[in-house]
Amino acid sequence: MWIFLQPLSGGMWITTTVFFVFTGFVVWLIERSINNEFQGSPWEQVGMIFWYSFSTLVFAYKEKLLSNLSKFVVIIWMFAVLVITSSYTATLASMLTVQRIQLSSREEKKLQMMEEKWFNNDETIFTNQDSRSNPSRLNLHSFRGLFLVTGMSSTSALLVCLYLKRPAITISNFKFRLNSTIGSVKLLLQCSKTSYHT
């Protein structure tokens, strides 16, 4: 009943989900100040983070991205999603095929002979693989490079975005402080004029 969960290991499911949310957060953070589609109430914005990232799974997003940084993040993430979904589909199809073959009693002896020939032979293709690698399940170890590239590109885009927004934040803080200081000076001058005339 739960065979659709078996192609990915638990760690792979968790890591993929975390990257879906992280990618949605990065795209939202980059786009929210320049794109009206990424604005709204706090609940709408949280919903946008989840909606946008998970809609990339089936290429169903409708929001237009305005920033080149967010486009870069999404291109890398779409490649990762393509690799993960293709691998998931191939592994699930393989598992379902093996399950059907095992159900056939006529093929059971042939399958057992093939299994002994392939898996008990010392010179199989699996002898040089890492012991953590399981050919029947996709695990995090197999995709660590893909997640590394995705994480580094998203983090780099986020840092560039924050760096570019830094002058605007500093200037707006400076204007606020300058206006506050000018207002304070005006108030002091008015008070001193009033006290001087009385």
Side-chain angles (χ1 to χ4, degrees):
M1 179 166 96
W2 299 102
I3 194 167
F4 69 93
L5 294 175
Q6 291 179 359
L8 302 180
S9 67
M12 186 71 176
W13 280 111
I14 291 168
T15 305
T16 303
T17 304
V18 166
F19 269 85
F20 268 110
V21 175
F22 178 65
T23 302
F25 174 75
V26 170
V27 170
W28 168 81
L29 193 63
I30 294 170
E31 289 286 324
R32 74 182 171 106
S33 62
I34 59 173
N35 193 337
N36 290 334
E37 294 180 12
F38 286 83
Q39 296 173 359
S41 70
W43 286 111
E44 288 173 339
Q45 291 184 34
V46 169
M48 178 57 71
I49 290 171
F50 287 100
W51 159 253
Y52 193 82
S53 62
F54 284 102
S55 67
T56 60
L57 184 62
V58 291
F59 306 100
Y61 56 92
K62 62 180 169 65
E63 294 75 23
K64 184 176 180 181
L65 299 177
L66 302 178
S67 171
N68 286 336
L69 286 173
S70 56
K71 290 175 184 177
F72 170 72
V73 169
V74 170
I75 286 171
I76 300 295
W77 179 240
M78 296 289 275
F79 175 73
V81 167
L82 179 67
V83 169
I84 293 168
T85 54
S86 299
S87 300
Y88 171 87
T89 303
T91 304
L92 181 62
S94 173
M95 287 178 161
L96 291 171
T97 302
V98 168
Q99 190 179 45
R100 276 200 161 158
I101 290 173
Q102 286 175 346
L103 293 176
S104 172
S105 62
R106 286 178 272 159
E107 298 293 323
E108 193 169 322
K109 287 187 178 184
K110 287 183 184 178
L111 182 63
Q112 194 172 22
M113 287 182 356
M114 287 173 29
E115 183 179 333
E116 287 176 11
K117 182 179 178 183
W118 288 350
F119 295 115
N120 291 337
N121 187 357
D122 290 338
E123 296 179 14
T124 65
I125 59 171
F126 301 114
T127 56
N128 294 330
Q129 289 186 349
D130 188 22
S131 61
R132 292 174 286 184
S133 178
N134 181 349
S136 63
R137 289 184 94 185
L138 301 173
N139 57 35
L140 187 56
H141 182 74
S142 303
F143 290 92
R144 67 183 184 257
L146 183 67
F147 285 117
L148 180 68
V149 169
T150 303
M152 287 178 60
S153 63
S154 294
T155 303
S156 299
L158 181 61
L159 292 174
V160 168
C161 175
L162 293 175
Y163 179 77
L164 293 175
K165 288 183 179 182
R166 188 181 63 109
I169 293 169
T170 306
I171 291 170
S172 66
N173 287 342
F174 175 72
K175 285 180 182 177
F176 174 73
R177 287 185 186 140
L178 184 63
N179 288 336
S180 299
T181 306
I182 291 172
S184 299
V185 170
K186 284 181 181 178
L187 184 62
L188 283 172
L189 288 175
Q190 287 176 349
C191 289
S192 64
K193 282 183 185 179
T194 309
S195 63
Y196 180 71
H197 289 302
T198 54

